[in-house]
Amino acid sequence: MINRTLAAFIKKELLQALRDPRMKFILFVAPIVQMTLFGVALSNEVKNIRLAARFDAKDMVMRQVYDRAIQGGWFVPARAAGAGTDDPFELIRSNRADAVLVPPPGGFTRALGRGGAPLQLLIDATDVNQAQAVEAYLRAIIQDVLKDDAGLAPPAPTIRLDVRVLFNPSLNTSLFMVPGVMTMLMVLTTLVLTQIAIVREKELGTFEMLISAPVSKAEVIFGKTLPYVIIGMANLPLLLLVAVFVFHVPIRGSLAALVLATLVFVCTTVAMGTLISTFCANQQQASMGGFLFIFPAIMFSGIIFPIENMPASLHWLSFIDPLAHYLTLLRNIMLKGGDARTLAWHIGVLAVLAIASGVASFRRFHTTLS
Amino acid sequence: MNGAVSISVREVCKSFRRFPALHGVSLEFEAGRMHGIIGPEGSGKTTLLRIMLGLLVPAQGRVEYFEDGRPADFEALRPSLAYMPQTQSLYPDLSIDEHLEFFRDLYSLPREIYARKREELLGVTRLAGFVDRPAGQLSGGMYKKLGLMCALLRSPRVMVLDEPTTGVDPISRRELWDLLYRLLDENVLILVTTAYLDEAERCSKVHLVELGRVVAAGEPRRLLEVEGARSFDELFMRRAAASAP
């Protein structure tokens, strides 16, 4: 299938892409740096919550709750409040604390002894996710304190759930986020580079010479796109090394399945990049077009927000989003070991998306200038 | 690879978004001659070439191709047409040798033929000392010569050049023309556009194009005699003065 013309194209394209030291950096160094940075920084774990609590030195239970919260690592003490900040509401309003625990009058310990214990918790909910996490953390801490230290029976919930977290028992968010970051980096390199490579030929005027040469349309298209499939695949081992050795993400499934899934995904993004570039006349339009694709593609992929949280009427957007399928594949293969049904389904959908956008770009790819 | 090619353009019209570029242009181009399409900028020269090369579709009229006088199919002839566009059309980051190798493979040239051609072309263009230099760092004349070399690698039967001498110093211009004359000996149909009117006299037949119309055609000296002008400069200046309000 690969004839001499096609080989010449691939060689030329790789030569151009790999000659420029800046390009080499973008292709091979930037993904590793970004992968490491994003893997560390992108976490939906809520940390460093500034907690304030006003209590009497003799209020032992209250002290234990506060100390345990700080020791747990999620909370940090709110900065020592100045004068006139006894008002817990004021602490939050003036952004000196994210959460304030207010014991009942007379202290929490005494209130518990009397049987009733209305402990007030004020949370800054300008960030809803954080507020929910804070509430859950503190509820758990208070229950623990009451049970372990104070020797009191915690208020019994009506239903007890025995939760077992599978595949990621410590709820390590990097296990969850690293496949997401990998997905984003893969689409960035392959889609954007393909677009720029095609549009640059139009801009340079070399396109006019190519289409007037005795070269078939298929040879031009495959010659321009296959190199970026190769480059995308070359990125996979680099990203996997970071995932495994820096973030200790396991690869429980087969490496072959991972490579196959990546190959199909990269073909899809390269085909979509080609399709977008058929609408663009210059590199500015290409970058804008790429951005218009990548931004919603990330949003609907489930990397940041779970697809389940989106209205059902918009789920089809995730269905046609190649990132959503690749993300599922990566998480499934790396964390769960990959079951044949899930793999076959998502790889199948990706292949259909690749073929559809491939056919569309083939139709739109003109070998005339008009 | 031996039939002589001739081309007739019949009543071709083309416009871009209501802006007309060609109004019923008819032209005849014969094998083994150097045809010059001469006219000021914006007269429709490039559009005409692009239509002849199948890069643009005419709104009306047609282009007919002949091989040894018999009608021939464009797609069959297409591989023997070579084109050197007017705009920059080389990869600034690839060297002269890398360009030649890319086009060698694009045209599927056998190695030994390539080696002979490369030697010959580098000799004529005197670019042998610069084979490792990226196209982006070549001077205007060297750049055009490299474009011509890429087009000539595959021994075309029709060579179409859009303003090959624009932005080229006088010595390189002369070399480019010498390179083209060599092709005539091989019975190649050469089509050159130029806005340098003095170059018209280098062609064996000139076609004067103005505002999308062919205003005159013939051998350069005969044409000047008929029009009663001493040079093409004078001819165009006079026409421009006549058409001015």
Side-chain angles (χ1 to χ4, degrees), chain A residues 4-5 8-9 11-12 15-16 19 201 204-206 208-215 367-370, chain B residues 50 54-56 78-79 83 88-94 98 101-109 154:
Chain A
R4 204 168 147 199
T5 310
F9 254 115
K11 184 180 149 202
K12 181 216 100 183
L15 206 62
Q16 287 183 301
R19 166 156 307 162
E201 297 263 0
L204 282 177
T206 45
E208 194 174 349
M209 195 162 62
L210 287 182
I211 60 177
S212 61
V215 180
T367 43
T368 55
L369 295 167
S370 42
Chain B
R50 285 176 171 171
L55 298 177
L56 287 176
R78 195 173 182 145
Y83 176 41
Q88 280 207 338
S89 52
L90 301 170
Y91 301 99
D93 48 347
L94 294 185
E98 282 162 351
E101 282 163 21
F102 175 55
F103 283 97
R104 171 196 70 197
D105 293 338
L106 216 54
Y107 304 149
S108 306
L109 280 187
R154 62 181 157 131

Side-chain angles (χ1 to χ4, degrees), chain A residues 240-303:
Chain A
L240 281 181
L241 283 178
V242 178
V244 172
F245 290 104
V246 179
F247 295 106
H248 308 291
V249 178
I251 301 177
R252 297 202 174 99
S254 90
L255 201 57
L258 197 59
V259 172
L260 175 70
T262 307
L263 182 63
V264 180
F265 174 66
V266 168
C267 289
T268 316
T269 55
V270 165
M272 289 187 166
T274 313
L275 182 59
I276 298 172
S277 69
T278 63
F279 292 94
C280 307
N282 54 47
Q283 295 194 34
Q284 284 98 315
Q285 290 177 5
S287 351
M288 202 57 216
F291 196 70
L292 283 178
F293 171 81
I294 288 179
F295 200 59
I298 289 176
M299 289 306 165
F300 285 99
S301 66
I303 294 174

